Amino acid sequence: MQAAIAVRRVLGAKAGLVRLGRHLSMQVAPPVAEALRAGDAVVALESTIITHGMPYPQNLETAERVEEIIREQGAVPATVGILGGQLHVGLSRAQMERLARHERPCVKTSRRDLPCVMAKGLDGGTTVSGTLVAAARAGISVFVTGGVGGVHRGGHRTMDVSADLIDLGRAPVCCVCAGVKSILDVGRTLEVLETQGVCVVTLGESDRFPAFFTSDSGHRSPHHVTTCSEAAAVAYQHSELGLESGLLLAVPIPDQYRAEGRSIQAAIEQAVSEAEQQGVSGRDVTPFILARVNELTGGASLQANIHLVENNALHGAKVAVELAELKRNRGKRGRLEGSVTRAAAQSRDKVQKDDPAPDASGGRGVPTVIGGSIVDFVIKTTDKHLQMDGSTHRGHIAQSYGGVGRNVADALSRLGHRPHFVSAVGRDQLGLAVIANNPHMDWRCVDRRESLCTASYAVLVDSTGSVQFGVGDMDIHEAITPELVERHRASLVSSPLVVTDANTPSPSLSAAARLCAAAGVPIWFEPTDLRKAVKSAALLTAGHQPPVLYSSPNAAELHTMLTALTPDRPGAFHLLKGDQLLDACRDASLRLLEHFHCLLVTMGTNGVMISRRGGRSEPLPLGPGARALPAGGPTSCVHYPVTAASNVVNVSGAGDCFNAGFISGLLAGLAQDRCVQRGQQLALQAVACAAAVPDTLQLSDAPEPHQAPGVSRLP
């Protein structure tokens, strides 16, 4: 029945006039009618952005540019407006200019206003609500706008709720926008959308719901997809189900405009405050705030608004094209099943993220890892003599994926924990490769930068296996900013443990420490190398020491950290061997328990040493609200010998895999000895693999007879 109605609509559109119901008629432009009849992609656009959203000529220029973007993606734009009482779906340039210049008074036209505006023969710019009415009746599946209306602040008292929300619940259309305006009550807006049966989905690498000029409204989106193809698959299922409610696809502000967006957001807050102080209310609030924000930002809000609409048009057109292709190929299940499978996998991952297994502290959540993502290139020459004169040498070049933070997140993901991973990569081929080759990881908290290259490291190894030199391009690590950490505050404060590496800039480490301190979330700090180990001092002396702090240095890094955190400079004990090394590490790590709760010192073939506050059988604190034992109380120090590896291929990821195994034990509520056992199992698997993290990791908590128990090394 619905298909027959759609056919009648389109056939009517061919003649140029569609009569729908008893009171509403509309003119469909020939290009739009032709595209609808052919099943091609069509994107509806509102016209209040022309009549009320911007001054002339920016309003006309923006409208033309948005239509051009949609055409470039292979879709047909259909701007909706009212001229002389006639509702048009698809405006010519002359018609848009008439509305832009206000040649006749223009009425801001919502659903409720349509009958009067049309009966009186007026011109009107259709709002989100009015455009949804026209799009649904014309059979257009995708509608692009800037931002939708919502529940106004204080709306629970005034009942000031935008008609946009009601029509989103009535029109089976995918509305692509930048979320809702931040001047609104975002939480209550999402609640009303749920009540109206609107499927709300965020498109991008974060699951945070955007609010126009900010990518994070402070609320998590009910659903999340990462690509336009996945969004189209969701829209296809929405269409196939015949749901009478709509689909809201929220597209966050582009990365390059986020700094500008933050300054605009500050102006919005000031304008809202001024509106309250001056008693501005009702329908006058929004015009007052928009005018005041434009004044406060010197016009920057207008430019940001334009960029947002253009970005929404780009993504909306891509979704429309993909959706039209899915509908066209209903009988060819291959591509459809692929897209739907991706969407289903994303939905499953969202459920796992929202409701993981309980952690050892009795709370719920998954760990968070903050750190570097690096693509490694190992260049090994087979020539016996290395000539540094421009000669070409025979050899092998291998590409793999590293970065301490990425390695730990990779290993934990392979063990089923799938942590939130906060990092940065470029929008380049290496960035695409590191994400595509690690699909088991959660990349939604990773910032992707247009102007920076993905971190890479190239090392030259001679025929004997000795490293000659390395070159690292690590500038993008500076993109792991305090703002990025703050953006993912919800993930951090709900985690049972936050793991950071020293590739993270010191201000960002301090930002993470401050957030974790407030929530009582323990931090695990991985120094990564000698130079960066000093960063731990900045982390610990920032004035926000978390209640629990773990660190996992090797012997050399332990020496560097002790030098940085104590006034007297110890000897170079990391050059020692055997029992002398063990005793030196014991003494140093026990001294550092003034700053840490637990130190895990990796010593290569000499094994691992765990120095901590409390005894080895006491539970290690974990989870939000965890508390450390006070400094100065009883301590313990246990040395765990390592099982000799029979086949050593690469040791670069052994320490990171050990940490992941130990952390997995913490998350499972295991005792210290069992956590170490897990770590040593993974370290042995790692050294036998060319990659830093093996493709498959196996854990067994059964006692291993060949594994030596820990030996206490108290003074």
Side-chain angles (χ1 to χ4, degrees), residues 468-541:
Q468 294 300 309
F469 65 86
V471 177
D473 181 356
M474 308 292 179
D475 291 348
I476 197 169
H477 288 151
E478 295 302 316
I480 308 174
T481 60
E483 290 78 16
L484 179 63
V485 172
E486 181 70 31
R487 192 186 314 160
H488 300 291
R489 167 201 293 260
S491 297
L492 268 69
V493 300
S494 63
S495 295
L497 180 71
V498 171
V499 182
T500 67
D501 73 20
N503 287 315
T504 307
S506 294
S508 303
L509 290 175
S510 296
R514 183 173 60 255
L515 292 175
C516 290
V521 175
I523 285 182
W524 180 301
F525 180 78
E526 167 53 51
T528 74
D529 64 25
L530 290 177
R531 179 178 58 84
K532 295 175 181 176
V534 178
K535 285 190 176 182
S536 62
L539 174 65
L540 293 172
T541 57

Side-chain angles (χ1 to χ4, degrees), residues 178-183 186 209-217 252 265 268:
V180 301
K181 297 178 178 67
S182 56
I183 61 175
V186 179
F209 186 74
F212 214 62
F213 293 120
T214 175
S215 60
D216 186 355
S217 65
Q265 184 61 34
I268 289 173

Side-chain angles (χ1 to χ4, degrees), residues 101-184:
R101 287 181 177 273
H102 285 204
E103 293 179 1
R104 298 177 61 185
C106 290
V107 179
K108 190 174 182 180
T109 309
S110 180
R111 169 192 283 265
R112 68 169 188 179
D113 307 303
L114 283 168
C116 288
V117 173
M118 295 177 67
K120 293 180 179 180
L122 304 176
D123 286 0
T126 53
T127 65
V128 169
S129 171
T131 307
L132 281 169
V133 171
R137 282 156 176 73
I140 299 174
S141 299
V142 177
F143 160 49
V144 166
T145 184
V148 298
V151 180
H152 284 255
R153 299 186 185 189
H156 59 292
R157 298 188 303 271
T158 65
M159 299 302 292
D160 190 351
V161 180
S162 171
D164 295 353
L165 304 186
I166 309 304
D167 275 296
L168 281 166
R170 293 170 172 169
V173 176
C174 174
C175 176
V176 182
C177 64
V180 301
K181 297 178 178 67
S182 56
I183 61 175
L184 303 171

